[in-house]
Amino acid sequence: MAEKSFAINTVPHVATVGPHLLSFEPEVIGAEFAEAYAGLKSAQKQIKKVGDDIGASELLAVNAGMRDFLSRFMIPDSKELFETLRLPDRVLVQLLEWVAELYGGGSGNDHGGSSSAS
């Protein structure tokens, strides 16, 4: 009889944002990630549609899309904290890139150290 073991992350991923720690789910379902990512891309398309006529409403929609995407993968306590934080868009973008690497195709094992391709 053949036997195979599969590792599953059980420890949340942690992002340090200033004095705050935001914890993210150890593992997510690929379809749930794709659904959240599609919602984010939809918000970003609003910016492209308006071109140079970008206004506050479009920027607010993208900001809300980024925050919604990120909060979907946070553990409940971090999600509550995140909802109270005012963060610059550049920090949200950095968090997005990190989360996309964790769940969307990266190793998912990045604990803040350097990474290398093999």
Side-chain angles (χ1 to χ4, degrees):
M1 174 172 106
E3 201 171 300
K4 176 79 174 159
S5 296
F6 298 91
I8 295 179
N9 293 327
T10 58
V11 178
H13 304 283
V14 178
T16 302
V17 180
H20 308 288
L21 298 179
L22 299 174
S23 297
F24 291 79
E25 296 289 338
E27 298 276 357
V28 300
I29 305 300
E32 292 171 1
F33 177 82
E35 179 181 57
Y37 191 72
L40 173 63
K41 294 307 269 181
S42 176
Q44 290 174 331
K45 283 181 184 176
Q46 292 181 26
I47 295 287
K48 290 179 183 175
K49 283 182 185 177
V50 296
D52 291 338
D53 294 328
I54 189 168
S57 62
E58 290 85 13
L59 292 174
L60 288 170
V62 170
N63 183 281
M66 289 189 291
R67 294 183 70 85
D68 178 63
F69 174 83
L70 290 166
S71 69
R72 285 187 182 204
F73 305 111
M74 291 181 186
I75 63 170
D77 289 346
S78 288
K79 185 175 183 174
E80 287 179 31
L81 171 62
F82 182 65
E83 291 172 357
T84 68
L85 296 178
R86 290 178 40 108
L87 299 173
D89 285 348
R90 69 173 179 78
V91 172
L92 295 176
V93 169
Q94 290 172 336
L95 283 168
L96 281 170
E97 291 171 349
W98 181 65
V99 167
E101 182 179 318
L102 287 175
Y103 304 130
S107 67
N109 295 321
D110 181 12
H111 297 285
S114 62
S115 62
S116 61
S118 53

Coordinates of all heavy atoms in Angstrom, one line a residue, residues 12 14-15 19 26 39 63 66 78:
P12 N -0.7 31.1 11.4 CA -1.0 32.3 10.6 C 0.2 33.1 10.1 O 1.3 33.1 10.8 CB -1.8 33.2 11.5 CG -2.4 32.3 12.5 CD -1.3 31.2 12.7
V14 N 2.1 36.6 9.4 CA 2.0 37.8 10.2 C 2.7 39.0 9.4 O 3.8 38.8 9.0 CB 2.5 37.7 11.6 CG1 2.5 39.0 12.3 CG2 1.8 36.6 12.4
A15 N 2.0 40.0 9.2 CA 2.5 41.3 8.7 C 2.6 42.3 9.8 O 1.7 42.5 10.5 CB 1.6 41.8 7.5
P19 N 3.3 49.7 14.4 CA 3.2 49.0 15.7 C 2.2 47.9 15.7 O 2.1 47.2 16.7 CB 2.8 50.1 16.6 CG 1.9 51.0 15.8 CD 2.6 51.0 14.4
P26 N -3.5 30.8 7.6 CA -2.4 29.9 7.2 C -2.5 29.4 5.8 O -1.5 29.3 5.1 CB -2.4 28.8 8.2 CG -3.2 29.2 9.3 CD -4.2 30.2 8.8
G39 N -12.6 40.6 -7.7 CA -13.2 41.8 -7.1 C -12.3 42.9 -7.1 O -12.6 44.1 -7.4
N63 N -9.3 51.9 -3.2 CA -8.9 51.8 -1.8 C -9.8 50.8 -1.1 O -9.3 49.9 -0.4 CB -8.9 53.1 -1.0 CG -8.4 53.0 0.4 OD1 -9.1 52.6 1.3 ND2 -7.1 53.4 0.6
M66 N -9.0 47.2 -2.3 CA -7.8 46.7 -1.7 C -8.0 46.2 -0.3 O -7.6 45.2 0.1 CB -6.6 47.7 -1.7 CG -6.1 48.0 -3.1 SD -4.6 49.0 -3.1 CE -5.2 50.6 -2.6
S78 N -7.5 40.3 13.7 CA -6.8 41.2 12.8 C -7.7 42.0 11.9 O -7.5 43.2 11.6 CB -5.7 40.5 12.0 OG -4.7 40.1 12.8

